[in-house]
Amino acid sequence: MNEYKYTINGNKYEVVISDITDNIATLTVNGEQYTVEMEKQAEPEKPKPVVRKVAEDTGEGGSATASGSASGTAIKAPLPGVITEICVTEGQEVAAGDTVVVLEAMKMANALQAEKSGKISAIVVKVGQSVMEDEALIYIE
């Protein structure tokens, strides 16, 4: 049992809280008994775990992707970030220096360029995906 004394706008109140069960409180204010329903506290939102598929080694120098196996030279993330734009499509021919992906890292957009000329053999990321440093993003044959 808890007792409290309040003065509100010059009026004095003696409040006795006799029982709290779940979100229902039984209390007495200046000798008059009340049953009060309190709002339940919102549970803090639990962070959702980030789950990634681990690339499996295909034995051919590439990594396995959801659609099959990728081969060729991988363009990798130079630092952790989020993919904001994919500028190419699978099967597209690119020249060395062409921008293939835009990666946002540390509030800066980083245009990642093809290191060699060739054909895009696989795109293993999606716009909005978080990536880690040295993670393969695109493969060029």
Side-chain angles (χ1 to χ4, degrees):
M1 179 175 354
N2 296 321
E3 294 184 34
Y4 302 94
K5 293 183 181 186
Y6 299 101
T7 302
I8 302 172
N9 293 333
N11 297 320
K12 295 186 184 252
Y13 298 94
E14 290 184 24
V15 179
V16 178
I17 301 173
S18 54
D19 183 43
I20 299 176
T21 306
D22 292 326
N23 65 326
I24 306 293
T26 304
L27 50 100
T28 305
V29 179
N30 292 346
E32 202 168 324
Q33 189 168 354
Y34 296 94
T35 301
V36 179
E37 182 177 355
M38 300 179 292
E39 288 186 18
K40 291 184 178 182
Q41 288 185 336
E43 291 185 26
E45 191 172 313
K46 296 178 183 176
K48 296 177 183 172
V50 176
V51 180
R52 293 178 196 239
K53 289 185 178 180
V54 177
E56 300 171 8
D57 189 6
T58 61
E60 299 172 1
S63 297
T65 64
S67 61
S69 69
S71 61
T73 303
I75 295 178
K76 297 181 179 182
L79 62 167
V82 176
I83 303 299
T84 58
E85 185 179 355
I86 298 173
C87 305
V88 294
T89 58
E90 285 188 24
Q92 180 178 337
E93 293 287 333
V94 293
D98 286 352
T99 298
V100 292
V101 175
V102 178
L103 172 74
E104 182 180 307
M106 299 185 289
K107 298 184 181 183
M108 291 184 61
N110 298 281
L112 304 183
Q113 300 170 341
E115 297 170 359
K116 66 175 191 171
S117 296
K119 181 175 154 183
I120 303 296
S121 61
I123 300 172
V124 294
V125 292
K126 296 178 182 173
V127 172
Q129 181 178 336
S130 294
V131 295
M132 300 303 292
E133 184 175 355
D134 289 330
E135 186 173 334
L137 309 175
I138 291 182
Y139 288 90
I140 300 176
E141 289 183 328

